[in-house]
Amino acid sequence: MKLTEQQVNRYSRHIVLPEIGGKGQRKLLESRVLCIGAGGLGSPALLYLAAAGVGTLGIVDSDNVDLSNLQRQIIHSARSVNMAKTESAKSTIQALNPDVNVNIYQTRLTRDNVLDLLSDYDAVLDGSDNFPTRYLMNDACFFARKPLFFGSVFRFEGQASVFMPGQNGPCYRCIYPEMPPADLVPSCQEAGILGAVPGIIGLIQATECLKFLLGIGSSLLGRLLIYDALSMTFNMLTIRQDPNCLLCGKQPTIHQLQQYDQEVCETGQ
Amino acid sequence: MSITVRIPQPLRKLTNGLSEVSSSGQTAKELLGNLDQQYAGLKERLCDETGALRRFVNIYVNDEDIRFLQDLDTPLKDGDLVSIVPAIAGGVEENDPKNITRKIYLTFPHKQIQEPIVWRLAKKFDVITNIRGASVSEEIGLMALELKGGTTDIERAISYLKELGVKVEPIEKDVIE
Ligand SMILES: [Zn+2]
């Protein structure tokens, strides 16, 4: 694949970087990333992945745009209220960069459809806002051997990491073996969030994903980044593969996808 | 000896909003005990009934997860930085354990002495009540009460008592044990 004159111009600020160059840019254009949720995390991540020229973006979301989403879900606009988030995100991306093919899946992720969806992609960016989807994606990416770019936010705080099955690092279950019991999880509407916080975390996920696609730098593999907006601190913690992990440990008991039956909120954070 | 403890967003309600607090302890377990003295209720958010760390909360000493050190017996030294890091998600209000026990001391005003308040409490809220001691005179009623249930239910039950004009005070562990 040869870059067109327009592409050389569009991506010139990438191409001049020795770490990327024309070769790296072509890699991005040939890459395929699946984004879970077009919400608070997915919005900024998708916009930057699209702008960067990631050639194929898959978007999974079953929700419609609500006015209260616009405080942080910047891929949508006032015009897209009540539209499917997938459609709204697709039209924004197409207006931004026609180089990008957008595949949309207006569906809920389940253990029956997730592996099929994953098989078409090189990497997964998890922008889900609930534990069942997070554990489902963790397990599915482990079985499908797909790198998972993890992010999570709560009020003024965020976490981010990278899970790469088969690469010595942990999976999400190594860090948190069990999800908090369902009755500790009130409705999604109850949880407030400073809109800029998922912006920061979503872009950390996107940055890690781009680095992976380009094969540059050192990733958050084995490290958990904790962001606290109120004190404006970034803390880095070491996370390890747990030999007792039920999924990726020495004597795993999880050999297939489970029933993740906590009450599920909408996919998008 | 001073250890800095980073408190995550969901637990700052208990630390008056502080994101970092100072405490002490020779081990992680001791530290949690001391923290609980400073900020009542912190430990039950982090540990289950057996005293083990809950499986959706981790504690890091400097940048290492204590599960890969000596767990709650991990030794601490002056200047250590301890981080408490729960699993978070947008849909989660807080890591609110389902079954906690809170011991409270109730002082009933004169007009409430005749009322079956504890019975009503158990009917109205999803809490298990256990009277650990009581003394009632014509003027005043005192009761040591144990409440078991979800944090939210317990908090609601306690506000209900307060609304009725009952004075509610926490009990230090050894008072009734
Ligand atoms: Zn694992």
Side-chain angles (χ1 to χ4, degrees):
Chain A
M1 179 182 137
K2 208 172 172 309
L3 296 175
T4 65
E5 204 175 311
Q6 245 204 353
Q7 284 175 326
V8 171
N9 193 7
R10 176 184 277 268
Y11 305 115
S12 57
R13 298 303 190 278
H14 273 169
I15 294 169
V16 295
L17 290 170
E19 290 82 354
I20 301 181
K23 196 172 157 222
Q25 189 58 52
R26 282 194 298 275
K27 262 195 220 165
L28 292 181
L29 285 161
E30 284 159 9
S31 296
R32 309 172 62 88
V33 175
L34 182 66
C35 183
I36 311 305
L41 296 167
S43 287
L46 283 165
L47 283 173
Y48 274 86
L49 293 176
V54 171
T56 304
L57 291 173
I59 308 172
V60 190
D61 204 309
S62 62
D63 205 4
N64 289 342
V65 179
D66 185 82
L67 188 59
S68 69
N69 297 151
L70 300 183
Q71 162 257 20
R72 63 197 180 286
Q73 301 183 11
I74 57 167
I75 205 165
H76 312 298
S77 64
R79 273 178 328 201
S80 38
V81 170
N82 296 329
M83 250 170 96
K85 284 189 182 174
T86 46
E87 293 285 355
S88 159
K90 182 178 179 174
S91 84
T92 307
I93 290 171
Q94 282 175 334
L96 171 65
N97 189 351
D99 285 347
V100 182
N101 299 310
V102 185
N103 301 327
I104 57 176
Y105 310 97
Q106 202 194 338
T107 177
R108 269 174 202 280
L109 278 176
T110 67
R111 62 174 170 175
D112 300 317
N113 64 16
V114 67
L115 290 173
D116 246 11
L117 276 175
L118 283 185
S119 64
D120 262 352
Y121 294 89
D122 305 317
V124 180
L125 193 145
D126 183 9
S128 63
D129 69 351
N130 61 84
F131 287 110
T133 307
R134 185 174 306 158
Y135 280 85
L136 172 66
M137 290 319 300
N138 180 70
D139 296 1
C141 287
F142 175 77
F143 290 126
R145 295 278 182 243
K146 302 284 181 185
L148 177 62
F149 298 88
F150 157 73
S152 169
V153 292
F154 178 79
R155 294 188 180 177
F156 297 94
E157 197 166 82
Q159 303 180 348
S161 191
V162 172
F163 306 130
M164 299 235 182
Q167 292 228 13
N168 267 332
C171 75
Y172 191 71
R173 283 184 190 274
C174 292
I175 321 176
Y176 298 111
E178 280 171 21
M179 62 178 107
D183 57 340
L184 307 186
V185 184
S187 74
C188 307
Q189 285 75 24
E190 282 180 62
I193 180 80
L194 179 71
V197 170
I200 300 275
I201 297 295
L203 288 192
I204 287 171
Q205 292 174 273
T207 306
E208 288 298 282
C209 185
L210 290 170
K211 281 163 57 191
F212 163 76
L213 298 173
L214 291 163
I216 59 172
S218 48
S219 75
L220 280 176
L221 181 71
R223 297 185 290 162
L224 180 66
L225 178 72
I226 310 283
Y227 167 58
D228 181 3
L230 283 180
S231 56
M232 196 43 88
T233 49
F234 287 85
N235 296 313
M236 200 64 89
L237 302 169
T238 300
I239 48 175
R240 294 178 191 282
Q241 206 222 344
D242 183 356
N244 300 317
C245 178
L246 297 182
L247 180 69
C248 73
K250 291 209 169 75
Q251 283 168 318
T253 58
I254 300 171
H255 301 290
Q256 57 189 16
L257 295 175
Q258 312 282 295
Q259 197 60 48
Y260 304 82
D261 47 4
Q262 206 184 34
E263 202 176 305
V264 176
C265 297
E266 297 307 326
T267 321
Q269 175 84 52
Chain B
M1 178 183 196
S2 171
I3 289 162
T4 305
V5 185
R6 289 207 169 109
I7 307 293
Q9 202 89 206
L11 296 179
R12 288 187 198 161
K13 250 193 234 169
L14 300 172
T15 60
N16 312 314
L18 292 175
S19 61
E20 267 189 18
V21 303
S22 278
S23 193
S24 62
Q26 299 298 324
T27 63
K29 188 187 271 168
E30 236 184 81
L31 174 75
L32 291 185
N34 291 339
L35 276 175
D36 198 55
Q37 294 288 311
Q38 294 167 263
Y39 305 102
L42 206 59
K43 195 174 171 183
E44 63 195 19
R45 301 296 179 95
L46 303 175
C47 300
D48 64 20
E49 310 74 46
T50 69
L53 209 54
R54 293 181 187 277
R55 289 161 75 85
F56 45 88
V57 183
N58 289 321
I59 292 180
Y60 295 79
V61 174
N62 301 317
D63 75 332
E64 275 290 346
D65 187 337
I66 60 168
R67 292 181 304 154
F68 298 98
L69 300 169
Q70 294 164 56
D71 215 66
L72 288 170
D73 296 323
T74 301
L76 301 175
K77 56 181 193 312
D78 193 41
D80 273 345
L81 176 63
V82 170
S83 307
I84 300 171
V85 185
I88 55 169
V92 181
E93 177 62 15
E94 61 182 278
N95 287 295
D96 198 8
K98 185 182 178 186
N99 272 302
I100 63 160
T101 305
R102 187 158 299 166
K103 292 152 193 164
I104 48 175
Y105 218 103
L106 306 179
T107 310
F108 295 89
H110 178 70
K111 61 178 166 56
Q112 300 284 10
I113 292 175
Q114 307 283 326
E115 300 290 317
I117 287 181
V118 174
W119 174 83
R120 243 191 265 155
L121 201 66
K123 284 234 136 188
K124 219 171 150 70
F125 303 95
D126 192 12
V127 293
I128 298 167
T129 55
N130 186 5
I131 300 173
R132 304 297 301 262
S135 112
V136 183
S137 73
E138 266 180 47
E139 290 77 33
I140 200 163
L142 298 172
M143 183 186 291
L145 183 68
E146 201 176 80
L147 294 176
K148 261 195 184 136
T151 327
T152 321
D153 290 312
I154 289 180
E155 268 159 24
R156 279 194 201 124
I158 289 175
S159 356
Y160 171 74
L161 287 169
K162 287 179 177 163
E163 272 166 38
L164 292 176
V166 180
K167 192 170 156 203
V168 182
E169 295 161 288
I171 298 184
E172 298 304 326
K173 276 197 184 88
D174 45 337
V175 176
I176 50 174
E177 300 268 79

